[in-house]
Amino acid sequence: IRYAPAAFDPEARLPAGLFDSVADNLLHNALIKLQNESELRIEVSLVRDASALRVCDDGSALGEALAARLFHAPVASESGFGIGLLNAACQADAQGYALRLADNVEGRVCFELAKRASS
């Protein structure tokens, strides 16, 4: 696991409980994926103003059907039912953030927690 260095804005504020919970879930899922893809590289990054957290890997992409159901309902997988992602997405939504699958191609799979744009 590589943690991308960042120079943080000293005024940046984030909901620590949300970021801890989501980061824990995403890293746990990436480590499970690592068991099946032994050469997997994982990178964790936080945007300078702490508005977004990304956890990416260079492994296989998720299938389209699975990707479409993530964050909306439990999804069966080899390691569980995706309930952690569903709960994390609900927690994010309640705090003005969104959890999404930002990239999903072979060699670049990224989950992102980001502040929703004000409307």
Side-chain angles (χ1 to χ4, degrees):
I1 300 175
R2 179 181 179 273
Y3 294 90
F8 295 106
D9 179 346
E11 300 299 316
R13 299 289 179 259
L14 58 86
L18 172 63
F19 274 63
D20 285 349
S21 176
V22 171
D24 181 62
N25 183 273
L26 295 177
L27 286 170
H28 175 78
N29 291 346
L31 291 172
I32 290 172
K33 187 174 181 180
L34 178 62
Q35 293 174 356
N36 296 317
E37 300 180 35
S38 61
E39 298 298 317
L40 189 72
R41 289 181 304 219
I42 302 164
E43 180 173 290
V44 179
S45 60
L46 187 63
V47 174
R48 184 180 191 283
D49 67 357
S51 62
L53 167 75
R54 289 176 67 95
V55 176
C56 301
D57 70 60
D58 63 353
S60 59
L62 299 174
E64 284 185 40
L66 174 62
R69 291 191 324 266
L70 284 180
F71 317 118
H72 304 290
V75 292
S77 71
E78 294 175 11
S79 60
F81 293 100
I83 293 171
L85 283 176
L86 176 60
N87 287 340
C90 289
Q91 183 183 12
D93 186 59
Q95 295 187 45
Y97 284 76
L99 180 59
R100 68 186 186 101
L101 182 58
D103 294 306
N104 187 36
V105 295
E106 291 297 314
R108 180 102 178 135
V109 178
C110 293
F111 288 86
E112 180 181 73
L113 173 67
K115 189 144 186 78
R116 281 195 313 264
S118 299
S119 42

